[in-house]
Amino acid sequence: MPALQTINVSKSYGNFKALDKVSIEVGKQSIFGLLGPNGAGKTTLLRIINMISVMDEGKVLLNGKPVKQSDIRNIGYLPEERGLYKKMKVGEQAIYLARLKGLGKQEAIKGLKEWFEKFDITSWWNKKVEELSKGMQQKIQFIATVLHQPDLLIFDEPFSGFDPINVNLLKDEILKLREKGATIIFSTHNMASVEELCDHIALIDNSKTILSGEINEVKQRFKDNVFEVSYRSLSPLSLPAGHFEQVETQQQNGVFVSKIRLLNGNKPNDLLQQL
Amino acid sequence: MNKITLILQREYLTRVKKKSFIIMTILGPILMAALIILPAFLADWSEATEKRIAVLDETGWFYDKFKDQDNIKFYHVYEGLEAEKAETLYKRGDMLLYIPLPELNLPVNAQLFSTKQPGLSVTAYVKSVMKQEVENRKLMASGIDPELIKAAKAKINLSTIKVDESGIETKSNTEVEVGLSILAGIMIYFFIFMFGVQVLKGVMEEKSSRIVEVIISSVKPFQLMMGKIIGIALVGLTQFLLWIVLTGVFVLIFQLGFAGDIDLFGQQSQMLQQAGNDGNAEQFILVMQLLNDTDFTTMILSFLFYFLGGYLLYAALFAAIGGAVDQDADTQQFMLPVSIPLIFSVALSGVIINQPDSSLAVWLSMIPFTSPIVMMMRIPFGVPLWQLWTSMALLILGFVGTTWLAGKIYRTGILMYGKKVDYAELWKWIRG
């Protein structure tokens, strides 16, 4: 049974159809990438899963049962539009957010102390949020999202605004959370940022699911058999027609870069033999 | 429900801890206490010790006319002005009242020399004695017996008695009621605006700092809105109660600490009597009596009800506006129609106070948008109970209604960025 399933979810704002029969399936303890350009409907779908927005039609199933308000406790959502109360102190604010999720005060403080130590940011506890940089605030938001140990974690563009070192730090933490049993959904318009993490992906464009599946299988299905070959030579390659097609060739300082498509069932090895 | 408590706790505590709240809370009562204390204090400033006044009277009219008062003693001196100045002021440390011979048909000019401020009661007493004596002399000069004038003075006390259907009579006095009525109306107006705008600002802050989506992934938008509204209402109540208590405390501290055993109100009325201005003093005492007669319990309880009811009604609308707009500048177009009923009520206060039972006043005190201010203006004049209950019930219905409406606008609005919102759009959100 999948951890999360949306079945034909549709949502309109006036005449604008934000989601049109979108179905996705997220396996337990998997990392799921929800991809698509800006405005495709990703955030709308995530809001419906979180019960922030109400769908017009369709079903959202959490562990096989329709999602209800009390399930919110088991979801951690890091929205794309996120912020903090600027005038509040960091620790106070993190406790507040944790308690809104249903944690007790002592429980929240204990968990937060652990996370703050892990990220080496205990000195921020009594600072006001406005004294922190944007990246620092993002860390607090990340902690607030995962602190209550939800079964389902949803990250909307989680790595925007982070430097590469911190991105890796967060990726490690997310993988650890998955090992502990969490199911994770990434939503992003930047495939490269989550590619190495995801097991499954779904692509949404123009309010519809365009494709979905296991990541290697999807790659396989959509690869176009084009290879890039760099070589040093006086003249461009000549390849037997009907077997290979030179899509594009560029030359610079005696180095040629060619994009070559394999035709008629030729394998990459066949191309290597020609070189 | 538990989550609303968390939210309102945060809203309440962050506001109550703010410097501006603390300053307002302390400054308000200080100002009010000062208004009560200052006149008495000023009058008393130099009167704690006995004063002695030497009278140098060149006219001879005022011999024995100045009677010794509680803390003012008079005695006459007869040397020249300069000599007496030196003697009285510097040697004895007393005051010197110099009354020169008046020129023909000119007002009597007297001078009071002293090394310190003489104090209001001294000047008032001296003036009143002199005035009476000069008046008497003028009357006698034109052959009229001052006693005759005294006897001919007519004095009218008109008390208005209100009789209700069951024949119970209550003494009423319009001046005092007008004062209370205006005060109550303006206070409600002020409170609704002050704290309503705090709701608006709070919602806008959450929206513009982008925290709102983080919060509503844990709680329902309606819970967030209500938590904020109720939290700020409690801030308002706290401020109101602290004002009342602190004003009392400040007055008390002053009485005990600085002024010894002076009775403030007694001091004031004594002062006015000494001013020799019979009418004023009597009026003053009358006002104090009437204030004592006024049913303050009803006033304060209904004030609290109409403040809360009116605030809840308008705060919901302000929350909806805050949720719908992105920038301060955009609030104007929505603020205006919301504020109009409030401004309208205050603008009509003259008409309402003139005829608190006119059908206009009665209707306005029923409509929830105007009733908080208008009903508070009517209450000091007495309002039939059925009208009061109806108005209160309608106000409750009113704020339940606006809260429901605001919840719908708020819910959609807070997640909407970069969109210019107009009334057609709002209507869509309400229906949707």
Side-chain angles (χ1 to χ4, degrees), chain B residues 388-404:
Chain B
L388 196 62
W389 292 126
T390 317
S391 158
M392 286 181 165
L394 285 174
L395 184 58
I396 292 172
L397 279 182
F399 74 67
V400 170
T402 57
T403 307
W404 175 80

Side-chain angles (χ1 to χ4, degrees), chain A residues 137-152:
Chain A
Q137 294 187 24
Q138 300 251 60
K139 270 191 189 167
I140 309 292
Q141 286 155 350
F142 176 81
I143 294 173
T145 310
V146 302
L147 183 74
H148 60 292
Q149 298 172 330
D151 299 331
L152 179 62

Side-chain angles (χ1 to χ4, degrees), chain B residues 24-42 242-256 258-259 264-265 268:
Chain B
M24 275 285 276
T25 304
I26 296 178
L27 221 57
I30 288 182
L31 284 179
M32 283 207 272
L35 275 182
I36 299 173
I37 291 165
L38 220 58
F41 184 70
L42 282 181
L242 279 178
W243 274 355
I244 291 180
V245 172
L246 284 181
T247 305
V249 169
F250 285 155
V251 171
L252 207 70
I253 287 177
F254 179 84
Q255 268 184 312
L256 295 176
F258 299 97
L264 288 175
F265 292 124
Q268 280 181 345

